Amino acid sequence: MAPRCWRWWPWAAWPRTRPPPSESTQSRSRAPVGLNGSAGRPASAKYRSFRQQFSTQEQTPQICVVGSGPAGFYTAQHLLKHHSRAHVDIYEKQLVPFGLVRFGVAPDHPEVKNVINTFTRTAHSDRCAFHGNVVVGRDVTVQELRDAYHAVVLSYGAEDHRGLEIPGEELLGVLSARAFVGWYNGLPENRKLAPDLSCDTAVVLGQGNVALDVARILLTPPEYLERSLARGSGWWNYCFEQPRRSQGWRRLPAGHRPPAPGASAFSEALSRCCPRQMGGERQASAWQSPDWSLSLVLPTLSPQGVGEATRAVPTGAVEDLPCGLVLSSIGYKSCPIDPSVPFDPKLGVIPNMEGRVVDVPGLYCSGWVKRGPTGVITTTMTDSFVTGQILLQDLKAGLLPSGPRPGYAAIKALLGRRGVWPVSFSDWEKLDAEEVSRGQGAGKPREKLLDPQEMLRLLGR
């Protein structure tokens, strides 16, 4: 996949240098030539500058990665593998690592989580450190990270969802699939979502991977998920602690994926559909039949054209589809992390060229915040390796700050003064052991911890 580029990179900001003459060359010419071409002068200022620029190679490059999902860990893996002295610190806002591998993969696909084994080997390197429970942009600024490290890589992913931007999306019963996935996977911020699942019809807007995951989970008999769901998560409570759902539960896709020439047809259809609420205000809590109902007004589409020119166009007629739940799954969206970092709100990415953040030397990005929320884990792996390679090229070319940088020592002092308690990877392994131990008692691979306060108590914080 070709890297995305929003504008020409100002190459003047990245000076090119020529390597100094080898020792053998200097020995053949005992009298070095000065800038004015005369012999007998000391080595030129140009070569002294070159040696200063390359000092980051001779020392230990301190590199910071923000985000511990696939993009963050794959970036760290590449840097550690291809530079024998580099030290990488990974910062994460959650108390636990692995991002969407832990909180986004459907519980009936545990094999996808095997990549955690690779990430764990990276974290065990004596040149890598994990610092969880640190919110970059709140607990520490990006500029403070840049002052402490030779380079900073932003790999924090996409933590929001694309809105429908249609009337009615704010109604009760209309949720984002991203929040729904976080709810059944035990993401702390979505623990209290409490969707009403007492209805017998759910509509999923979208036909991507997340939409299919959500539909499959909705339709899977609870007993097939019992070993993989976290006890106490939203979906566990629904399946095993609350009255069972209606036997007539059905999922209806409300999406259309036309050929490339008609790629706007789905968004056009969405712009014409409209969730609406009928009946009184909601009084019932989750799991109970409410005294209101939800209806989705959908335009009907028909094909127009021949071959690759075929488009799906609205017919003018609409279908009124009664339902109890609408899940919007039309894409994730990254958010700005810090006012000092450029951000394209329309594309939802950090403007960059092959991972170099535009106009901010020494700042890089990888993963979804670099290219947008597309692809699978292997796509992110390739993308992150490219960013790591670009960073190392800049390091070799002397384009990163020279001289030693304090790295985590400086950030640790800042966090201590601000009352922030970072969680290390060894701390995570204690929580991991607790999850596995609890799972063994329930006949499951693990029992996921859901409450951040409980995690901190287990760590003695």
Side-chain angles (χ1 to χ4, degrees), residues 29-112:
S29 177
R30 295 180 179 275
V33 179
L35 288 175
N36 59 2
S38 62
R41 297 290 182 89
S44 71
K46 176 176 67 175
Y47 295 143
R48 287 198 302 271
S49 173
F50 179 87
R51 294 190 183 98
Q52 290 174 356
Q53 287 177 325
F54 263 69
S55 62
T56 48
Q57 290 191 93
E58 298 166 2
Q59 300 167 7
T60 298
Q62 298 286 342
I63 303 172
C64 160
V65 174
V66 179
S68 69
F73 266 106
Y74 279 129
T75 301
Q77 175 186 328
H78 188 89
L79 294 171
L80 296 169
K81 179 178 180 180
H82 295 280
H83 196 295
S84 61
R85 297 176 63 88
H87 181 93
V88 180
D89 287 320
I90 302 175
Y91 291 87
E92 168 60 50
K93 72 172 187 176
Q94 302 291 344
L95 274 73
V96 296
F98 310 134
L100 284 181
V101 177
R102 177 178 172 91
F103 294 118
V105 174
D108 60 340
H109 280 179
E111 71 283 353
V112 178

Side-chain angles (χ1 to χ4, degrees), residues 91 131-134 138-140 144 408-423 461:
Y91 291 87
H131 308 291
N133 197 35
V134 178
R138 185 193 70 187
D139 300 332
V140 61
E144 288 169 335
Y408 181 63
I411 303 303
K412 181 179 179 181
L414 285 176
L415 297 176
R417 291 195 296 269
R418 294 167 184 173
V420 180
W421 296 330
V423 172
R461 304 292 177 86

Side-chain angles (χ1 to χ4, degrees), residues 132-155:
N133 197 35
V134 178
V135 181
V136 174
R138 185 193 70 187
D139 300 332
V140 61
T141 67
V142 171
Q143 185 58 54
E144 288 169 335
L145 293 175
R146 293 182 64 208
D147 292 341
Y149 291 88
H150 291 103
V152 175
V153 185
L154 302 175
S155 309

Side-chain angles (χ1 to χ4, degrees), residues 9 14 146 340-342 356-364:
W9 179 260
W14 297 87
R146 293 182 64 208
S340 67
V341 179
R356 293 186 183 100
V357 176
V358 171
D359 294 336
V360 192
L363 187 63
Y364 302 82

Side-chain angles (χ1 to χ4, degrees), residues 240-255:
F240 303 108
E241 301 296 335
Q242 303 289 342
R244 293 296 180 90
R245 58 186 152 185
S246 167
Q247 295 300 311
W249 181 274
R250 59 182 182 144
R251 175 265 186 186
L252 298 177

